[in-house]
Amino acid sequence: MLVLTRKLNESIQIGENIEITVLAVKGDQIKLGIKAPQDIEVHRKEIYMSIQESNNEAASILPNIIDILKNTSKKP
């Protein structure tokens, strides 16, 4: 992990298209601004993990649904 120190209104550049700027510091919270192309998804980590969990659940249900549909189509 790369650890960088930034002050208010200073930025970090990631590649050519992503810029992260420190917008505010208040107590133990930091407000960040993120400029990125619209095709790059940006989420808080807990939201990203929730999306991944939902996707995994949906993927595990799909094979069961396919088996059920195959079995119901075989009935005379």
Side-chain angles (χ1 to χ4, degrees):
M1 175 187 301
L2 173 64
V3 178
L4 301 171
T5 302
R6 300 279 70 202
K7 294 179 181 177
L8 189 61
N9 296 318
E10 291 184 337
S11 298
I12 296 168
Q13 186 73 32
I14 301 174
E16 293 182 15
N17 298 325
I18 301 171
E19 179 182 0
I20 301 171
T21 304
V22 178
L23 300 177
V25 179
K26 188 175 183 180
D28 63 349
Q29 290 188 333
I30 299 168
K31 187 180 285 188
L32 300 173
I34 301 169
K35 289 182 187 175
Q38 287 187 342
D39 63 325
I40 296 179
E41 295 183 17
V42 178
H43 300 286
R44 296 188 326 255
K45 178 74 178 241
E46 62 273 16
I47 300 299
Y48 176 80
M49 296 306 289
S50 176
I51 292 168
Q52 294 301 310
E53 185 178 319
S54 295
N55 289 345
N56 289 337
E57 287 175 12
S60 68
I61 292 171
L62 184 60
N64 294 336
I65 292 173
I66 292 172
D67 289 339
I68 291 168
L69 291 173
K70 284 180 182 177
N71 291 334
T72 58
S73 66
K74 291 180 183 178
K75 292 182 180 180

